[in-house]
Amino acid sequence: MRPLTEEETRVMFEKIAKYIGENLQLLVDRPDGTYCFRLHNDRVYYVSEKIMKLAANISGDKLVSLGTCFGKFTKTHKFRLHVTALDYLAPYAKYKVWIKPGAEQSFLYGNHVLKSGLGRITENTSQYQGVVVYSMADIPLVSRDGSYYRTQVLFYSRRICFQSG
Amino acid sequence: MEGQSVEELLAKAEQDEAEKLQRITVHKELELEFDLGNLLASDRNPPTGLRCAGPTPEAELRALARDNTQLLINQLWQLPTERVEETIVARLPEPTTRLPREKPLPRPRPLTRWQQFARLKGIRPKKKTNLVWDEVSGQWRRRWGYQRARDDTKEWLIEVPGSADPLEDQFAKRIQAKKERVAKNELNRLRNLARAHKMQLPSAAGLHPTGHQSKEELGRAMQVAKVSTASVGRFQERLPKEKAPRGSGKKRKFQPLFGDFAAEKKNQLELLRVMNSKKPQLDVTRATNKQMREEDQEEAAKRRKMSQKGKRKGGRQGPGGKRKGGPPSQGGKRKGSLGGKMNSGPRGLGDKRKGQRPGGKRRK
């Protein structure tokens, strides 16, 4: 377990900022406690300082996880966001997309969402913008592909597709 | 009338005197204890005035402080004075209060190897005289050290012992032996020190050839030998099929696990701020590398021109021109030069000066 280096922090922040923008500083600087990012076995965990001090007592090879896993660094040092980060990203999302109940199930199983399945969308969403998908009951959703939920807004002629990948 | 006024004046003068005295005299039930060396006055009077003061005792506290300070100053004025460089100075006596230790007691050091042995064997240090009579010089000389009594390296005549090689230099042998003794002593001193501070010494254990060493040991010894040159192994050639050693790169250093959380947060916020600002930030390293590359290219172009001119003129100008080099480097365009050390001097003095420029990392 170790803190992130400058380079790693930058890469991770760039990825997360695609979805939540400047609200990222609310994650870094929280009024209700000191939270920090720690790297363990290539995975980045967002954990409060108190829990981290307790976890420091566990040896590295026996420690499985701590706090919330935000994602992992791949072999070529790219950052992949994981579904477990959704709870922290959804409240701060800048661009949101609501999908109709009919398309919701399809999306959850990993398919694209067509324009007809689109319920609401925040205005000024540009193409290829990273968004967070919600159901009509304001529950953030993640597609079946599981470990990452990068969704982009692609505009094809006369259709808006949501590609989840 | 005048008498009256005189009396009045006298009375007034007396009143003034009394007031002045009142200001500098303080009445206390118990006398204060003074330690003038530390400028300390201890007041043991019970603080009844403070207790009945109520919630805001500031006025009473101030009065109390004033009174006690007045008494201390009165005491100071009674000290013997002297004149030091146009100022009158009172000499303070020695402090009587003993102040507690500033630093904790030093912990006992571990015994050296000799001390352990002596303790085991019960050897006590024999008291020896400092000076010894030296027959050769006919004077009292010290037992050890500079110009000692029996210095065998300083003898002018040494008999060659029967068993020794007649061509051996006995003087050199004695000097060598002395050096070895000194080195051994130094090593033992450092080892004792390392044991006392629980540090590790870099040792050459296992690197001496014994004839039966394993492949790994030999490999390790070879690596150490390779690196033990003046250039730390940079110009040592490898055999044709020899592979580069594993694990010889720089070890990465990470921040401590719970370092300063505030500093970490500040760095991250700063990074975010830089990311969010729309202007592209100046990368100092890249700017300096770019500048260096441009200068190199200019220099190369100039050299090429000079060599062409030299060939044409039949070699008259050539070597001189190359050696004197081009005009001094331009200083104007350096935006991000680190620390102002970027002014490389006259150029041509060494065409291959590539590695010596201060400033940013080379060729990132």
Side-chain angles (χ1 to χ4, degrees):
Chain A
M1 189 167 39
R2 63 168 172 88
L4 298 165
T5 61
E6 274 284 332
E7 200 51 43
E8 288 166 349
T9 330
R10 199 181 49 79
V11 167
M12 187 183 74
F13 279 2
E14 276 177 9
K15 192 57 177 280
I16 298 178
K18 283 203 181 102
Y19 294 92
I20 62 178
E22 308 92 49
N23 294 334
L24 181 50
Q25 68 195 26
L26 294 168
L27 272 184
V28 171
D29 189 11
R30 275 167 78 130
D32 61 341
T34 323
Y35 279 70
C36 53
F37 292 99
R38 289 290 179 265
L39 193 80
H40 178 62
N41 288 347
D42 290 331
R43 282 169 199 265
V44 175
Y45 296 98
Y46 182 63
V47 60
S48 74
E49 162 205 345
K50 191 163 54 78
I51 306 277
M52 192 201 52
K53 286 191 175 167
L54 293 174
N57 294 327
I58 305 173
S59 70
D61 52 347
K62 301 279 193 321
L63 178 68
V64 171
S65 168
L66 65 159
T68 318
C69 176
F70 256 46
K72 75 176 203 184
F73 279 98
T74 61
K75 216 180 239 182
T76 52
H77 307 297
K78 303 210 180 17
F79 185 65
R80 273 264 187 260
L81 266 177
H82 282 201
V83 56
T84 39
L86 187 59
D87 275 335
Y88 288 94
L89 298 191
Y92 299 117
K94 293 193 74 173
Y95 296 101
K96 302 181 184 174
V97 162
W98 285 262
I99 49 179
K100 292 185 183 151
E104 183 186 323
Q105 204 63 8
S106 162
F107 174 69
L108 285 176
Y109 278 96
N111 301 317
H112 294 286
V113 174
L114 300 183
K115 187 174 170 186
S116 56
L118 177 65
R120 239 163 76 195
I121 183 169
T122 35
E123 57 186 27
N124 300 333
T125 317
S126 54
Q127 194 177 13
Y128 305 119
Q129 175 64 43
V131 298
V132 177
V133 175
Y134 287 82
S135 73
M136 287 320 271
D138 280 332
I139 301 172
L141 301 177
V142 161
S143 86
R144 176 210 70 119
D145 296 329
S147 53
Y148 43 86
Y149 65 102
R150 187 186 64 215
T151 62
Q152 286 180 338
V153 177
L154 299 173
F155 293 105
Y156 292 130
S157 58
R158 285 196 237 140
R159 274 188 311 166
I160 300 176
C161 291
F162 291 100
Q163 179 198 40
S164 67
Chain B
M1 199 128 114
E2 283 175 359
Q4 248 187 349
S5 66
V6 164
E7 273 176 25
E8 270 180 28
L9 279 173
L10 280 173
K12 216 167 130 228
E14 248 187 70
Q15 217 182 5
D16 284 341
E17 277 286 330
E19 267 183 38
K20 267 197 221 153
L21 274 175
Q22 197 183 42
R23 262 185 260 139
I24 67 169
T25 53
V26 178
H27 175 254
K28 292 269 184 187
E29 285 160 9
L30 263 175
E31 283 297 320
L32 267 57
E33 288 162 11
F34 294 101
D35 177 11
L36 291 175
N38 282 327
L39 290 181
L40 174 70
S42 312
D43 184 357
R44 296 207 181 250
N45 291 303
T48 45
L50 288 179
R51 276 206 204 102
C52 56
T56 53
E58 266 91 22
E60 275 80 14
L61 280 171
R62 201 172 290 135
L64 183 65
R66 193 233 139 241
D67 288 341
N68 286 340
T69 323
Q70 182 66 68
L71 284 171
L72 180 62
I73 305 246
N74 290 347
Q75 285 289 316
L76 284 177
W77 275 108
Q78 288 169 13
L79 286 174
T81 60
E82 58 192 47
R83 199 181 178 82
V84 172
E85 286 178 20
E86 299 166 359
T87 43
I88 299 185
V89 154
R91 194 149 287 270
L92 294 176
E94 286 294 315
T96 53
T97 350
R98 195 158 161 208
L99 296 173
R101 280 184 81 88
E102 181 196 338
K103 296 193 167 59
L105 278 168
R107 55 188 165 90
R109 280 182 221 164
L111 295 174
T112 64
R113 272 182 66 89
W114 165 252
Q115 282 172 339
Q116 286 169 10
F117 178 74
R119 187 169 283 202
L120 198 63
K121 290 283 196 177
I123 302 173
R124 315 283 273 347
K126 257 188 274 192
K127 196 70 183 157
K128 293 192 180 128
T129 55
N130 280 346
L131 299 175
V132 183
W133 176 251
D134 187 23
E135 280 295 337
V136 172
S137 57
Q139 33 173 253
W140 288 93
R141 284 237 180 120
R142 54 190 81 167
R143 190 180 289 276
W144 52 270
Y146 180 60
Q147 285 172 355
R148 54 186 172 277
R150 297 176 209 118
D151 193 353
D152 63 349
T153 52
K154 295 278 191 303
E155 278 186 32
W156 60 274
L157 178 74
I158 304 177
E159 286 179 15
V160 175
S163 52
D165 180 13
L167 294 174
E168 202 180 12
D169 187 355
Q170 297 295 326
F171 296 101
K173 201 164 117 177
R174 286 204 179 170
I175 293 175
Q176 190 63 28
K178 170 90 185 145
K179 283 193 183 155
E180 280 172 11
R181 281 198 303 265
V182 169
K184 175 169 173 279
N185 195 8
E186 183 65 18
L187 179 68
N188 284 329
R189 185 182 75 86
L190 290 175
R191 255 201 248 147
N192 281 329
L193 214 59
R195 198 180 306 118
H197 294 270
K198 298 209 173 27
M199 284 193 300
Q200 252 193 328
L201 270 183
S203 74
L207 296 177
H208 302 288
T210 55
H212 34 87
Q213 281 166 306
S214 73
K215 188 174 159 193
E216 289 84 27
E217 286 174 14
L218 285 173
R220 217 181 316 135
M222 192 193 68
Q223 284 308 319
V224 171
K226 212 171 248 188
V227 177
S228 317
T229 57
S231 317
V232 201
R234 228 179 117 174
F235 301 111
Q236 299 302 110
E237 277 127 17
R238 269 187 268 142
L239 291 175
K241 284 208 193 143
E242 201 180 324
K243 281 181 257 182
R246 282 191 65 234
S248 60
K250 247 198 294 193
K251 187 167 176 184
R252 283 202 300 178
K253 280 201 93 162
F254 300 116
Q255 299 291 325
L257 186 54
F258 1 99
D260 191 1
F261 286 111
E264 201 183 323
K265 204 181 281 190
K266 195 163 76 70
N267 285 338
Q268 286 177 344
L269 287 174
E270 180 64 29
L271 182 63
L272 280 175
R273 191 190 64 81
V274 164
M275 268 170 49
N276 287 335
S277 71
K278 299 297 179 206
K279 294 193 297 278
Q281 299 283 319
L282 176 66
D283 186 2
V284 178
T285 330
R286 292 182 70 172
T288 44
N289 279 346
K290 192 168 176 189
Q291 185 72 17
M292 282 198 256
R293 208 179 4 254
E294 281 173 24
E295 284 167 12
D296 281 345
Q297 285 170 353
E298 282 172 33
E299 197 181 316
K302 239 170 242 140
R303 239 182 289 133
R304 244 178 283 128
K305 241 198 308 176
M306 290 298 218
S307 70
Q308 280 178 2
K309 271 202 210 146
K311 270 196 219 142
R312 260 186 280 137
K313 288 191 184 165
R316 249 184 300 144
Q317 182 61 0
K322 262 197 246 181
R323 231 170 268 129
K324 285 215 193 80
S329 55
Q330 63 244 85
K333 280 197 274 177
R334 292 169 215 256
K335 273 184 261 173
S337 44
L338 295 167
K341 282 193 341 193
M342 271 307 291
N343 44 343
S344 13
R347 261 331 161 82
L349 283 182
D351 297 330
K352 303 280 187 305
R353 271 210 324 181
K354 285 202 175 159
Q356 291 175 25
R357 257 171 278 224
K361 285 187 266 205
R362 190 75 195 160
R363 307 286 185 221
K364 204 166 97 161

PDB file of all heavy atoms in Angstrom, chain A residues 87-102:
ATOM      1  N   ASP A  87     -20.818   5.176  -6.617  1.00  0.00           N
ATOM      2  CA  ASP A  87     -21.441   5.856  -5.484  1.00  0.00           C
ATOM      3  C   ASP A  87     -20.836   7.214  -5.217  1.00  0.00           C
ATOM      4  O   ASP A  87     -21.490   8.103  -4.679  1.00  0.00           O
ATOM      5  CB  ASP A  87     -21.259   5.012  -4.224  1.00  0.00           C
ATOM      6  CG  ASP A  87     -22.338   3.970  -4.117  1.00  0.00           C
ATOM      7  OD1 ASP A  87     -23.417   4.195  -4.685  1.00  0.00           O
ATOM      8  OD2 ASP A  87     -22.088   2.943  -3.469  1.00  0.00           O
ATOM      9  N   TYR A  88     -19.559   7.357  -5.556  1.00  0.00           N
ATOM     10  CA  TYR A  88     -18.918   8.637  -5.298  1.00  0.00           C
ATOM     11  C   TYR A  88     -18.997   9.562  -6.493  1.00  0.00           C
ATOM     12  O   TYR A  88     -18.904  10.768  -6.351  1.00  0.00           O
ATOM     13  CB  TYR A  88     -17.450   8.425  -4.921  1.00  0.00           C
ATOM     14  CG  TYR A  88     -17.311   7.839  -3.547  1.00  0.00           C
ATOM     15  CD1 TYR A  88     -17.198   6.472  -3.368  1.00  0.00           C
ATOM     16  CD2 TYR A  88     -17.327   8.666  -2.436  1.00  0.00           C
ATOM     17  CE1 TYR A  88     -17.101   5.945  -2.105  1.00  0.00           C
ATOM     18  CE2 TYR A  88     -17.224   8.141  -1.176  1.00  0.00           C
ATOM     19  CZ  TYR A  88     -17.125   6.782  -1.018  1.00  0.00           C
ATOM     20  OH  TYR A  88     -17.033   6.254   0.229  1.00  0.00           O
ATOM     21  N   LEU A  89     -19.119   8.997  -7.684  1.00  0.00           N
ATOM     22  CA  LEU A  89     -19.151   9.849  -8.862  1.00  0.00           C
ATOM     23  C   LEU A  89     -20.556  10.333  -9.177  1.00  0.00           C
ATOM     24  O   LEU A  89     -20.723  11.437  -9.678  1.00  0.00           O
ATOM     25  CB  LEU A  89     -18.599   9.082 -10.071  1.00  0.00           C
ATOM     26  CG  LEU A  89     -17.156   8.630  -9.975  1.00  0.00           C
ATOM     27  CD1 LEU A  89     -16.700   8.153 -11.321  1.00  0.00           C
ATOM     28  CD2 LEU A  89     -16.260   9.750  -9.506  1.00  0.00           C
ATOM     29  N   ALA A  90     -21.549   9.502  -8.915  1.00  0.00           N
ATOM     30  CA  ALA A  90     -22.897   9.871  -9.319  1.00  0.00           C
ATOM     31  C   ALA A  90     -23.381  11.188  -8.726  1.00  0.00           C
ATOM     32  O   ALA A  90     -23.959  12.001  -9.430  1.00  0.00           O
ATOM     33  CB  ALA A  90     -23.855   8.739  -8.977  1.00  0.00           C
ATOM     34  N   PRO A  91     -23.170  11.456  -7.436  1.00  0.00           N
ATOM     35  CA  PRO A  91     -23.684  12.726  -6.911  1.00  0.00           C
ATOM     36  C   PRO A  91     -23.018  13.946  -7.533  1.00  0.00           C
ATOM     37  O   PRO A  91     -23.581  15.029  -7.526  1.00  0.00           O
ATOM     38  CB  PRO A  91     -23.377  12.672  -5.425  1.00  0.00           C
ATOM     39  CG  PRO A  91     -22.969  11.312  -5.128  1.00  0.00           C
ATOM     40  CD  PRO A  91     -22.550  10.664  -6.375  1.00  0.00           C
ATOM     41  N   TYR A  92     -21.765  13.779  -8.018  1.00  0.00           N
ATOM     42  CA  TYR A  92     -21.062  14.943  -8.530  1.00  0.00           C
ATOM     43  C   TYR A  92     -21.076  15.019 -10.047  1.00  0.00           C
ATOM     44  O   TYR A  92     -20.402  15.870 -10.618  1.00  0.00           O
ATOM     45  CB  TYR A  92     -19.595  14.894  -8.080  1.00  0.00           C
ATOM     46  CG  TYR A  92     -19.424  14.918  -6.578  1.00  0.00           C
ATOM     47  CD1 TYR A  92     -18.843  13.852  -5.917  1.00  0.00           C
ATOM     48  CD2 TYR A  92     -19.841  16.009  -5.847  1.00  0.00           C
ATOM     49  CE1 TYR A  92     -18.683  13.881  -4.547  1.00  0.00           C
ATOM     50  CE2 TYR A  92     -19.687  16.042  -4.483  1.00  0.00           C
ATOM     51  CZ  TYR A  92     -19.111  14.967  -3.843  1.00  0.00           C
ATOM     52  OH  TYR A  92     -18.952  14.995  -2.488  1.00  0.00           O
ATOM     53  N   ALA A  93     -21.844  14.148 -10.685  1.00  0.00           N
ATOM     54  CA  ALA A  93     -21.778  14.095 -12.138  1.00  0.00           C
ATOM     55  C   ALA A  93     -22.243  15.392 -12.748  1.00  0.00           C
ATOM     56  O   ALA A  93     -23.216  15.994 -12.290  1.00  0.00           O
ATOM     57  CB  ALA A  93     -22.648  12.954 -12.639  1.00  0.00           C
ATOM     58  N   LYS A  94     -21.531  15.798 -13.795  1.00  0.00           N
ATOM     59  CA  LYS A  94     -21.927  17.056 -14.424  1.00  0.00           C
ATOM     60  C   LYS A  94     -22.991  16.837 -15.495  1.00  0.00           C
ATOM     61  O   LYS A  94     -23.895  17.626 -15.630  1.00  0.00           O
ATOM     62  CB  LYS A  94     -20.696  17.694 -15.060  1.00  0.00           C
ATOM     63  CG  LYS A  94     -19.685  18.144 -14.029  1.00  0.00           C
ATOM     64  CD  LYS A  94     -18.650  19.030 -14.621  1.00  0.00           C
ATOM     65  CE  LYS A  94     -19.244  20.387 -14.887  1.00  0.00           C
ATOM     66  NZ  LYS A  94     -18.228  21.346 -15.304  1.00  0.00           N
ATOM     67  N   TYR A  95     -22.806  15.795 -16.269  1.00  0.00           N
ATOM     68  CA  TYR A  95     -23.737  15.524 -17.358  1.00  0.00           C
ATOM     69  C   TYR A  95     -24.421  14.209 -17.066  1.00  0.00           C
ATOM     70  O   TYR A  95     -23.783  13.187 -16.903  1.00  0.00           O
ATOM     71  CB  TYR A  95     -22.997  15.466 -18.689  1.00  0.00           C
ATOM     72  CG  TYR A  95     -22.381  16.794 -19.032  1.00  0.00           C
ATOM     73  CD1 TYR A  95     -21.038  17.020 -18.825  1.00  0.00           C
ATOM     74  CD2 TYR A  95     -23.170  17.828 -19.521  1.00  0.00           C
ATOM     75  CE1 TYR A  95     -20.495  18.244 -19.113  1.00  0.00           C
ATOM     76  CE2 TYR A  95     -22.624  19.051 -19.809  1.00  0.00           C
ATOM     77  CZ  TYR A  95     -21.285  19.254 -19.597  1.00  0.00           C
ATOM     78  OH  TYR A  95     -20.741  20.471 -19.882  1.00  0.00           O
ATOM     79  N   LYS A  96     -25.758  14.266 -17.006  1.00  0.00           N
ATOM     80  CA  LYS A  96     -26.537  13.077 -16.638  1.00  0.00           C
ATOM     81  C   LYS A  96     -27.484  12.729 -17.767  1.00  0.00           C
ATOM     82  O   LYS A  96     -27.917  13.591 -18.526  1.00  0.00           O
ATOM     83  CB  LYS A  96     -27.353  13.351 -15.375  1.00  0.00           C
ATOM     84  CG  LYS A  96     -26.482  13.764 -14.222  1.00  0.00           C
ATOM     85  CD  LYS A  96     -27.296  14.003 -12.974  1.00  0.00           C
ATOM     86  CE  LYS A  96     -26.382  14.514 -11.892  1.00  0.00           C
ATOM     87  NZ  LYS A  96     -27.008  14.904 -10.697  1.00  0.00           N
ATOM     88  N   VAL A  97     -27.769  11.465 -17.836  1.00  0.00           N
ATOM     89  CA  VAL A  97     -28.675  10.960 -18.865  1.00  0.00           C
ATOM     90  C   VAL A  97     -29.662  10.024 -18.180  1.00  0.00           C
ATOM     91  O   VAL A  97     -29.241   9.130 -17.472  1.00  0.00           O
ATOM     92  CB  VAL A  97     -27.867  10.208 -19.936  1.00  0.00           C
ATOM     93  CG1 VAL A  97     -28.752   9.319 -20.749  1.00  0.00           C
ATOM     94  CG2 VAL A  97     -27.111  11.175 -20.810  1.00  0.00           C
ATOM     95  N   TRP A  98     -30.942  10.270 -18.394  1.00  0.00           N
ATOM     96  CA  TRP A  98     -31.961   9.396 -17.815  1.00  0.00           C
ATOM     97  C   TRP A  98     -32.542   8.539 -18.915  1.00  0.00           C
ATOM     98  O   TRP A  98     -32.854   9.030 -20.003  1.00  0.00           O
ATOM     99  CB  TRP A  98     -33.078  10.234 -17.198  1.00  0.00           C
ATOM    100  CG  TRP A  98     -32.699  10.862 -15.891  1.00  0.00           C
ATOM    101  CD1 TRP A  98     -33.007  10.392 -14.663  1.00  0.00           C
ATOM    102  CD2 TRP A  98     -31.984  12.073 -15.692  1.00  0.00           C
ATOM    103  NE1 TRP A  98     -32.544  11.229 -13.694  1.00  0.00           N
ATOM    104  CE2 TRP A  98     -31.891  12.287 -14.301  1.00  0.00           C
ATOM    105  CE3 TRP A  98     -31.423  13.028 -16.547  1.00  0.00           C
ATOM    106  CZ2 TRP A  98     -31.256  13.382 -13.746  1.00  0.00           C
ATOM    107  CZ3 TRP A  98     -30.777  14.130 -15.995  1.00  0.00           C
ATOM    108  CH2 TRP A  98     -30.702  14.285 -14.598  1.00  0.00           C
ATOM    109  N   ILE A  99     -32.661   7.251 -18.663  1.00  0.00           N
ATOM    110  CA  ILE A  99     -33.219   6.393 -19.702  1.00  0.00           C
ATOM    111  C   ILE A  99     -34.546   5.801 -19.239  1.00  0.00           C
ATOM    112  O   ILE A  99     -34.786   5.607 -18.045  1.00  0.00           O
ATOM    113  CB  ILE A  99     -32.252   5.267 -20.125  1.00  0.00           C
ATOM    114  CG1 ILE A  99     -31.702   4.528 -18.906  1.00  0.00           C
ATOM    115  CG2 ILE A  99     -31.125   5.824 -20.941  1.00  0.00           C
ATOM    116  CD1 ILE A  99     -30.785   3.416 -19.297  1.00  0.00           C
ATOM    117  N   LYS A 100     -35.377   5.531 -20.231  1.00  0.00           N
ATOM    118  CA  LYS A 100     -36.731   5.059 -19.949  1.00  0.00           C
ATOM    119  C   LYS A 100     -36.673   3.638 -19.411  1.00  0.00           C
ATOM    120  O   LYS A 100     -35.710   2.909 -19.654  1.00  0.00           O
ATOM    121  CB  LYS A 100     -37.545   5.090 -21.234  1.00  0.00           C
ATOM    122  CG  LYS A 100     -37.801   6.481 -21.713  1.00  0.00           C
ATOM    123  CD  LYS A 100     -38.716   6.442 -22.931  1.00  0.00           C
ATOM    124  CE  LYS A 100     -38.896   7.843 -23.451  1.00  0.00           C
ATOM    125  NZ  LYS A 100     -39.149   7.874 -24.870  1.00  0.00           N
ATOM    126  N   PRO A 101     -37.729   3.278 -18.695  1.00  0.00           N
ATOM    127  CA  PRO A 101     -37.737   1.942 -18.087  1.00  0.00           C
ATOM    128  C   PRO A 101     -37.564   0.805 -19.096  1.00  0.00           C
ATOM    129  O   PRO A 101     -36.924  -0.192 -18.815  1.00  0.00           O
ATOM    130  CB  PRO A 101     -39.109   1.845 -17.423  1.00  0.00           C
ATOM    131  CG  PRO A 101     -39.608   3.226 -17.324  1.00  0.00           C
ATOM    132  CD  PRO A 101     -38.875   4.064 -18.290  1.00  0.00           C
ATOM    133  N   GLY A 102     -38.096   1.018 -20.303  1.00  0.00           N
ATOM    134  CA  GLY A 102     -37.965  -0.043 -21.296  1.00  0.00           C
ATOM    135  C   GLY A 102     -36.526  -0.267 -21.698  1.00  0.00           C
ATOM    136  O   GLY A 102     -36.063  -1.392 -21.867  1.00  0.00           O
TER     137      GLY A 102
END
